[in-house]
Amino acid sequence: MHQIIKEGSIVKGPLWPEPIEVKKIEEIDEYVRVIGVTLHSRRFVDQLISKSDYEKLEVEDVSLDFSTPSEEAFLAIEAERYRFASLFDPLLAMNVSKIDPLPFQIEAVYGYILKLPKVRFLLADDPGAGKTIMAGLVHKELKLRGVVNRTLIVVPGHLKDQWLRELKEKFHEHFTIIDRSSFYAHYGENPWERENQVITSMDFAKQDDILLSLQNVDWDLVIVDEAHKMAAYKYGDKISKTERYKL
């Protein structure tokens, strides 16, 4: 005896690549009209099928199963919550990080930088004003919103470890430092493609062979610390473009 299909039933059969949730079902002469939506891709279905095809449909059991470990259920719920968190919490990155930003930092990041249709901004505050915190907030917020996946941070050589440590401790972000040893360790590969979150030094990246490999990789976000060290210099009518500037 064929199972009874009614509104709300989840059915599967050879006519569709995935199960559908039935919204309405009715007989029309020698056919059955099935109206519903696919369970995973959420595509609308409105189809007349023969009664022989109708007999091939199977009703799936949708009884609730509470056997999943509570820890896994909690993580699944948290993942879904974080997925939509930025829609409800405009300061999400700040609230999930171990920082206590000052008002001017919040205003700069959320009042100016993140409002730009294309984030391209120069932070020119005094030394010690917390530019690293602001840059970390921009990265974290864009990542949580799903805008950024691959980030490159270019810094003076002596600041690589400091950036690595602060991003991990304050923002729970794990970056990888790429230097000459990375190329030796992965000979024949492009190390820039292996990692999504990278820190490197400007003097390393400016080298011809390194710059060539870097040009073949796309980044969603690039952060440059002490960008004034990559500036060109003008002497009278002559403009001096350094290797750092070309980078």
Side-chain angles (χ1 to χ4, degrees):
M1 182 177 178
H2 189 266
Q3 301 177 75
I4 298 176
I5 299 176
K6 56 185 179 180
E7 293 181 13
S9 296
I10 305 297
V11 300
K12 62 180 180 179
L15 298 173
W16 307 291
E18 58 182 288
I20 69 168
E21 179 183 352
V22 177
K23 299 297 184 181
K24 185 177 181 180
I25 190 165
E26 59 180 343
E27 289 190 29
I28 303 177
D29 297 329
E30 298 299 319
Y31 297 90
V32 177
R33 184 185 184 190
V34 179
I35 300 176
V37 61
T38 55
L39 202 58
H40 306 301
S41 59
R42 309 306 294 175
R43 293 184 177 179
F44 179 71
V45 173
D46 186 351
Q47 189 170 348
L48 278 177
I49 63 175
S50 65
K51 289 191 176 181
S52 60
D53 286 334
Y54 174 76
E55 294 294 328
K56 297 176 183 178
L57 299 181
E58 299 178 13
V59 179
E60 287 196 340
D61 182 14
V62 292
S63 58
L64 296 177
D65 179 8
F66 295 98
S67 62
T68 301
S70 58
E71 295 85 357
E72 294 182 12
F74 172 76
L75 290 175
I77 294 171
E78 282 293 282
E80 193 70 8
R81 185 172 70 87
Y82 271 100
R83 180 183 174 191
F84 297 103
S86 62
L87 299 177
F88 305 97
D89 185 356
L91 306 179
L92 180 60
M94 186 185 76
N95 292 330
V96 299
S97 302
K98 294 182 179 179
I99 57 173
D100 187 15
L102 297 171
F104 79 90
Q105 294 173 322
I106 299 173
E107 182 182 9
V109 172
Y110 292 97
Y112 292 93
I113 300 176
L114 293 175
K115 286 186 176 181
L116 295 173
K118 183 176 182 180
V119 177
R120 189 178 180 90
F121 206 86
L122 175 66
L123 292 171
D125 290 312
D126 294 332
K131 295 185 290 296
T132 303
I133 296 295
M134 288 186 273
L137 269 177
V138 170
H139 161 76
K140 186 76 172 183
E141 192 69 49
L142 291 176
K143 184 178 178 181
L144 288 171
R145 295 181 184 184
V147 178
V148 163
N149 181 46
R150 290 179 50 78
T151 299
L152 171 67
I153 300 178
V154 183
V155 302
H158 66 283
L159 295 178
K160 291 184 297 183
D161 292 330
Q162 178 181 325
W163 271 85
L164 186 72
R165 182 176 61 255
E166 290 198 16
L167 288 168
K168 181 179 180 181
E169 293 177 353
K170 297 177 179 177
F171 297 98
H172 310 289
E173 291 294 327
H174 298 274
F175 277 73
T176 300
I177 293 177
I178 287 187
D179 51 21
R180 181 63 67 178
S181 63
S182 304
F183 279 77
Y184 291 150
H186 304 287
Y187 182 77
E189 301 180 35
N190 189 342
W192 306 110
E193 296 177 340
R194 294 178 58 88
E195 306 291 340
N196 286 332
Q197 300 193 157
V198 171
I199 297 173
T200 193
S201 75
M202 55 182 65
D203 285 329
F204 172 69
K206 75 180 184 182
Q207 300 175 51
D208 291 339
D209 59 326
I210 303 302
L211 185 58
L212 182 61
S213 65
L214 187 57
Q215 289 174 337
N216 294 324
V217 181
D218 293 325
W219 303 94
D220 302 317
L221 177 66
V222 177
I223 298 172
V224 179
D225 190 17
E226 298 196 16
H228 61 279
K229 294 185 177 180
M230 299 174 68
Y233 297 92
K234 185 175 182 180
Y235 302 94
D237 295 331
K238 182 181 179 181
I239 297 178
S240 175
K241 296 182 179 180
T242 64
E243 295 298 319
R244 288 179 175 178
Y245 175 80
K246 295 176 183 177
L247 169 64

